[in-house]
Amino acid sequence: MIARAVAVPRDALLAGYVDRDGTYTDCFEVMHPMEADLSAFIEAFYSTWLFRLERVVLSVALRKRITHSDVKALAQGADHFAVWQVEKRDEAQILLCDNAGATRSFLAVAPKDGGVTRLLFGSAVIARTDGTLAPIVRISTPLHRFYAKSLLRLAERKLRRG
C-alpha cells in the first residue's frame, strides 16, 4: 500500500495545530483493505519493527524499557506512553503530546465503504516563542516525512497480516 501526504482533516484532533504561527504539521494516509479500529491501529503502529527501533532509543534515553505491554496499554486507553501523554482521544483518533510539549503525534481510523479503513498518521512540531522552527526541524523534515510514511505503511501491513 502507498502512503501519501494529505491535508489534515478538519475534524481531526490535530487540526487545531494547522496554521498556527510557524508550527509544522503534516498528515499521511494509507488505505487498509479491511475494517480496523483505533486500538488495533495503535498496537500495529507502535509495534512495527521500525518503531521498535525508536523504542530502543527511547528506552536508553529514559533508562526505562518500553515494552509491548506499554503499547497494549495505550491501545486500550492508557493516558501515557513512553515520552508522550494523551492530549485528546475519541473512538476513532488519538493525539499525543511529548513531555516537553514540543511535538504532537496523531493517529486515526476512518471507515470507508466496502470494509476499507483509511489510516492516518500526522505530526505537529510547535514553533518556538519567536514563531520559528528550530533549524534542525527544518533540516530533518524530509527524513521525518520518509519515516512517517514508512511507519504508516508498515502498520498497515501489520494489520493486514493480523
Side-chain angles (χ1 to χ4, degrees):
M1 294 287 163
I2 295 172
R4 66 183 189 105
V6 296
V8 174
R10 291 177 199 212
D11 62 344
L13 297 176
L14 185 63
Y17 294 96
V18 175
D19 295 330
R20 275 196 184 182
D21 287 341
T23 294
Y24 168 83
T25 55
D26 63 29
C27 191
F28 303 95
E29 74 170 4
V30 67
M31 300 309 259
H32 177 59
M34 297 176 267
E35 293 180 8
D37 64 15
L38 182 63
S39 178
F41 181 36
I42 290 170
E43 190 168 346
F45 186 90
Y46 290 112
S47 63
T48 62
W49 69 264
L50 187 55
F51 198 86
R52 284 195 319 267
L53 294 175
E54 185 171 338
R55 283 173 29 197
V56 168
V57 172
L58 290 170
S59 292
V60 170
L62 296 172
R63 297 183 184 162
K64 177 187 179 287
R65 189 162 178 251
I66 301 165
T67 67
H68 189 71
S69 295
D70 298 325
V71 172
K72 282 181 102 40
L74 178 67
Q76 294 171 358
D79 62 359
H80 66 279
F81 171 66
V83 296
W84 297 278
Q85 300 295 320
V86 174
E87 184 171 310
K88 295 179 188 174
R89 177 198 298 245
D90 64 30
E91 61 186 45
Q93 53 185 333
I94 188 170
L95 183 65
L96 300 163
C97 174
D98 74 90
N99 291 339
T103 65
R104 303 296 185 278
S105 295
F106 165 75
L107 294 172
V109 295
K112 298 293 182 186
D113 292 337
V116 173
T117 305
R118 180 184 190 206
L119 304 175
L120 297 163
F121 171 50
S123 305
V125 180
I126 310 306
R128 298 182 298 193
T129 55
D130 67 0
T132 65
L133 289 173
I136 189 70
V137 173
R138 284 182 271 127
I139 292 167
S140 64
T141 298
L143 179 59
H144 162 76
R145 293 174 62 84
F146 176 78
Y147 181 66
K149 289 190 282 187
S150 297
L151 283 170
L152 188 54
R153 281 192 312 269
L154 289 167
E156 189 282 324
R157 187 175 305 144
K158 193 168 186 81
L159 282 171
R160 208 171 345 118
R161 291 181 179 161

